[in-house]
Amino acid sequence: MVARFVAGETTDKAVAVTHTLAGSGLDVSLDYLGEDIHDRGQADATREAYLTLLSALSAKGLAANAEVSVKLSALGQLLDEQLAYDNAAAICAGASAAGTTVTLDMDDHQTTTSPLSILPKLLTYFTPTTAGSPAHRPRSPRSCPAHPAPRRP
C-alpha cells in the first residue's frame, strides 16, 4: 500500500524516482527512513546517507526539485541533543551547497521540544530550513474536521 510513496532502498533508486517525478513537473520530499536511533554509529550513518543523497541530487541537477525531511531522533536526539544538532547542521550545510532545503520532521509529542529549540539555531546559518509534523499525526476534531473517504474509481 505504501510502495508508491517509497522511492527505493538505495540512493540511486531515490534519485531515479526523483528524476522521473521532476520530469513530470512534481517536487519531491525525501526521507531516509529510520528513527529512534540509540547508537552514535547509526546516527552518523544516517547523516552520511543524507549527505550522499544530497550530493547525488546535486550532481544530477535535481536538488531544486527535491527537499529532504529529517527526523532528529534519526540523528541521535535520544542520545545527545548536541549530536543531533551537529548532524542536522551538517545535513543543512549539504542541502545548502546542493541548492535545496531541509524540513525537520517531528516524530511525536515526546520529541517535539528539541526540534523547536534546534530550528532557530539552524536558521542562524541555514535559512532554507523549516519544521513540520507528519500529516498522519492525530489532531483534534476541531482542528481537522472529518472528511469523507475518497471514492474509488
Side-chain angles (χ1 to χ4, degrees), residues 7-21:
E9 295 183 20
T10 67
T11 297
D12 289 341
K13 182 67 174 166
V15 171
V17 170
T18 300
H19 181 268
T20 299
L21 293 172

Side-chain angles (χ1 to χ4, degrees), residues 56-122:
L57 290 169
S58 179
K60 296 288 186 180
L62 296 169
N65 299 97
E67 64 96 34
V68 294
S69 178
V70 177
K71 289 181 175 72
L72 290 178
S73 68
L75 300 177
Q77 174 188 20
L78 301 175
L79 293 169
D80 176 16
E81 192 169 297
Q82 185 63 46
L83 172 64
Y85 169 80
D86 291 343
N87 284 335
I91 293 168
C92 288
S96 181
T100 191
T101 60
V102 174
T103 297
L104 294 183
D105 189 5
M106 296 186 218
D107 295 310
D108 61 37
H109 72 282
Q110 296 173 339
T111 56
T112 55
T113 302
S114 185
L116 293 175
S117 68
I118 287 177
L119 179 62
K121 295 177 198 174
L122 291 172

